[in-house]
Amino acid sequence: AEIARANRVDGSYISRFIDLTLLAPDIVDAILDGKEPSGLSIAKLTRRKLPCEWVEQRNLFGFIDKR
C-alpha cells in the first residue's frame, strides 16, 4: 500500500508487478535473453495471479518444461 501511495497508483497494480518476483528463474532468464514464447507480454504476465508452482507457470506461458 505504501509503494502504491508513493507512486500514486492502485495497490492492485503494484501487487501484480510484485508477483513477477515469483516467476521461475528460467522464465526470467528467457525473457531477459529475448527468448520468450511468441505473444508473451507484460499484460499476459500480470493479467491474473501467478501459479506458485514453476511447472504450472511454464505451462501457462508456453515454456517447455525441460525436466
Side-chain angles (χ1 to χ4, degrees), residues 29-43:
D29 289 341
I31 292 168
L32 292 174
D33 291 341
K35 297 179 181 175
E36 70 277 357
S38 179
L40 187 63
S41 66
I42 193 72

Side-chain angles (χ1 to χ4, degrees), residues 13 15-17 19-20 23 27 31 36-51 56-64:
Y13 176 83
S15 178
R16 289 192 307 266
F17 279 88
D19 285 349
L20 295 178
L23 277 173
I27 293 176
I31 292 168
E36 70 277 357
S38 179
L40 187 63
S41 66
I42 193 72
K44 188 171 183 180
L45 288 169
T46 59
R47 187 174 296 142
R48 58 181 164 172
K49 190 81 172 155
L50 282 177
E56 291 178 45
Q57 291 178 11
R58 291 180 193 105
N59 292 333
L60 179 63
F61 298 123
F63 289 86
I64 298 171

